[in-house]
Amino acid sequence: MSEVSETTPQPPHAPHLGGPAPHPGPPHPGPPLLATPVPGPPAPQLTGPGFPQPVAPPATPVQQPVPVPHPPAADHPAAPQPQHLTPQPPAPQPPTPRTPTPQTAAPQPATEAPRTLQYRFDGPEGAPVLVIGPSLGTTWHMWDRQIPELTQHWRVFRYDLPGHGGAPAHAAPSVAELADRLIATLDGLGVQRFGYAGCSIGGAVGADLALRHPHRVASLALVASSPRFGTADEFRQRGVIVRTNGLEPMARTAPERWFTPGFAAAQPAIVEWAVQMVRTTDPGCYIAACEALAAFDIRDHLGRIGVPTLVLVGAEDQVTGPAEARTLVAGIPDARLALVPGASHLAPVEQPAAVCDLLLTHFSTAWQDAPTAAPAAPLVPGPATPAAPFAPLAEIAPAPDAPEAVGPQRESRHQRGVKVRREVLGDAHVDAVNASADPFTEDFQELVTRYEWGEAWSRDGLDRRTRSCVTLTALVASGHLEGLAAHTRAALRNGLTPAEIKEVLLQTAVYCGIPAAGAAFAIAQSVIQEETTPPA
């Protein structure tokens, strides 16, 4: 059975264009998602002889996109309309012919919206629970192609990120907060132990669970994931662009981040579905997720992940590629690597059968019994556990040495200042300042780091948006415009919009003088144009 939980109804799904992924075992009706051949690398031989091949595309033309897209899948049962935990009659639906499946039940919405997540269940109620997490900008439907096979063995729990797929727009500022909301949701359902698979930020949530709640996680699969996602500057810059331009720039560039060029050219319907998923995401929740990824860094903690882990990555993933996957495998003691040819970042969509087979193999053979020790150790840096040998499922390649861990120590004023300075001004700016320091200026930079950033900017009395307003005003009033460009960038990163920065500078024109404000407008205008212009 399947059951869905959400606090607000989801809009209708996009048209169904393909059926369940082919997979060894009982056949499923309908054509596969990969409806036409895709040029490029051959399908991965991960299941041995007889790996199934795609069939012809359906004759039905693509329909007009709808607000919340559903991945193309023919004869796939439409998700039931949501209902609240207080009994309410389900919304009436027109009868639609469909093929019966053994995996459906009624949806149940999450309560206490800020503390829980929108979810759905598929599969038999008595089976072990397998939790599956989505990537940034997608919905739980990115996993639709794996559900028919997975639900033959597990009760599959899928969730949406806040503001994604019609979920309530209660932004989560960190990966740990997302994990806490997931745990609260599972606690409310009585689910104590589960397997976990997640893609990208969904993988980050799984790694956080394995670190902070190891007694809850029976087995782990990290798909297109990383111990650190790019640089903090990249994701905060993405937040600035979305805050200024909306999600259209992210939607327009999603296909090139998510799919190989051959797949994108051969599957325009799936590309449009992907674009629509991003467009229908709440911008504030998307920005918060970018901030969460900017702050996520578990490189020093990988040795503490103690559950069997599959690290799965598309061979052509340009977002979190094979190098990041090998870093995970090298650091996690019980980890195996699976490299999927012909796939980019959204490997579950692009190569659904291969990903499904890998998940089936991993969770069928690497499901730990509940440990005797219940409480989880606090997440503090410690000596890295030596990496154990691993046996990749789809590629054998040397892995880099595990990163060295830093011993536990209390955060000093200088350490706090370095962290805040980088978060506000960006890594590039701080790196340039540090590179230009010499024995004559290094003590001054130490002073700035400790007292400006470790003290004033680290206080709780004002939020960073307000501190940026004060700083911009003070720079104009004092005539120290040489620092205005850096702090205009900081203001954008701290959440001020170009319109709000304009209002601050207009206010300075009244109280600080027209000439000073005019010079400040020229500097700020140049910075704003540079920072908020979407990539071509």
Side-chain angles (χ1 to χ4, degrees):
M1 330 182 51
S2 69
E3 60 182 65
V4 180
S5 167
E6 51 196 344
T7 56
T8 56
Q10 283 193 321
H13 299 309
H16 298 220
L17 302 179
H23 188 277
H28 294 278
L33 181 63
L34 191 56
T36 56
V38 178
Q45 298 299 320
L46 300 174
T47 59
F51 190 79
Q53 300 299 318
V55 300
T60 307
V62 178
Q63 304 296 321
Q64 183 177 0
V66 293
V68 174
H70 183 294
D75 299 326
H76 188 84
Q81 290 295 321
Q83 56 187 359
H84 296 274
L85 286 180
T86 51
Q88 294 184 6
Q93 299 229 2
T96 308
R98 70 182 201 182
T99 303
T101 67
Q103 4 166 8
T104 47
Q108 297 293 328
T111 56
E112 302 176 14
R115 288 289 305 149
T116 57
L117 298 173
Q118 176 172 283
Y119 70 91
R120 73 172 283 150
F121 268 119
D122 294 277
E125 294 186 6
V129 173
L130 176 60
V131 178
I132 301 183
S135 66
L136 175 61
T138 72
T139 72
W140 63 42
H141 291 299
M142 68 165 285
W143 294 100
D144 274 5
R145 298 299 308 289
Q146 286 75 35
I147 296 304
E149 290 295 336
L150 295 180
T151 51
Q152 293 187 26
H153 308 273
W154 297 282
R155 182 156 171 78
V156 178
F157 174 102
R158 286 181 285 173
Y159 66 90
D160 274 330
L161 299 171
H164 291 58
H170 300 287
S174 67
V175 170
E177 171 65 19
L178 287 171
D180 288 344
R181 294 187 193 183
L182 176 57
I183 286 292
T185 307
L186 294 170
D187 284 347
L189 297 166
V191 176
Q192 291 301 311
R193 189 144 172 91
F194 49 86
Y196 185 96
C199 182
S200 194
I201 192 172
V205 171
D208 183 85
L209 291 173
L211 286 167
R212 295 194 297 125
H213 303 279
H215 56 294
R216 305 289 293 270
V217 182
S219 189
L220 180 65
L222 305 177
V223 180
S225 196
S226 177
R228 186 190 185 198
F229 291 79
T231 68
D233 283 353
E234 291 174 34
F235 281 98
R236 293 198 171 101
Q237 174 68 15
R238 190 184 293 190
V240 168
I241 290 174
V242 172
R243 193 176 290 113
T244 307
N245 302 279
L247 279 165
E248 184 57 30
M250 299 299 109
R252 189 177 64 249
T253 58
E256 66 190 55
R257 292 194 306 271
W258 289 352
F259 305 123
T260 60
F263 182 88
Q267 301 291 342
I270 297 177
V271 169
E272 178 58 24
W273 160 74
V275 169
Q276 284 293 97
M277 272 197 300
V278 181
R279 284 180 178 149
T280 55
T281 299
D282 176 77
C285 290
Y286 188 98
I287 292 169
C290 288
E291 291 289 334
L293 288 174
F296 182 77
D297 187 353
I298 58 168
R299 290 174 294 177
D300 292 337
H301 310 296
L302 293 177
R304 294 183 52 249
I305 295 179
V307 299
T309 302
L310 172 68
V311 179
L312 190 156
V313 63
E316 300 182 47
D317 190 342
Q318 302 299 313
V319 181
T320 51
E324 287 82 359
R326 292 188 183 103
T327 301
L328 287 168
V329 170
I332 299 173
D334 184 9
R336 292 182 294 171
L337 174 65
L339 189 72
V340 181
S344 186
H345 194 57
L346 285 194
V349 175
E350 194 162 5
Q351 293 289 351
V355 171
C356 187
D357 184 73
L358 288 164
L359 295 179
L360 283 167
T361 301
H362 174 68
F363 287 110
S364 296
T365 59
W367 191 284
Q368 280 188 341
D369 293 331
T372 54
L379 181 56
V380 295
T385 304
F390 64 93
L393 295 178
E395 182 202 59
I396 299 177
D401 294 334
E404 293 185 6
V406 180
Q409 49 182 275
R410 199 168 181 172
E411 188 178 51
S412 68
R413 188 187 305 169
H414 178 267
Q415 290 172 319
R416 184 169 64 247
V418 169
K419 178 182 177 183
V420 174
R421 192 177 190 182
R422 287 185 176 277
E423 289 174 352
V424 174
L425 295 178
D427 289 333
H429 177 89
V430 176
D431 289 343
V433 169
N434 291 340
S436 64
D438 57 25
F440 184 74
T441 61
E442 63 184 3
D443 288 341
F444 173 71
Q445 290 301 327
E446 169 76 12
L447 179 73
V448 169
T449 299
R450 283 188 291 119
Y451 287 100
E452 179 181 356
W453 300 103
E455 284 287 340
W457 274 89
S458 297
R459 293 177 63 83
D460 296 329
L462 297 175
D463 60 34
R464 289 186 185 175
R465 283 170 47 88
T466 305
R467 291 190 187 280
S468 280
C469 291
V470 172
T471 302
L472 292 176
T473 303
L475 291 172
V476 176
S478 63
H480 295 309
L481 299 183
E482 66 276 4
L484 192 68
H487 278 281
T488 300
R489 289 188 181 88
L492 292 168
R493 293 163 64 92
N494 286 340
L496 290 177
T497 65
E500 289 171 327
I501 293 174
K502 178 181 72 174
E503 292 301 323
V504 170
L505 297 183
L506 285 173
Q507 194 79 357
T508 66
V510 175
Y511 291 97
C512 305
I514 296 294
F521 262 104
I523 296 171
Q525 180 184 40
S526 176
V527 171
I528 289 170
Q529 287 177 346
E530 177 184 342
E531 293 293 310
T532 63
T533 301

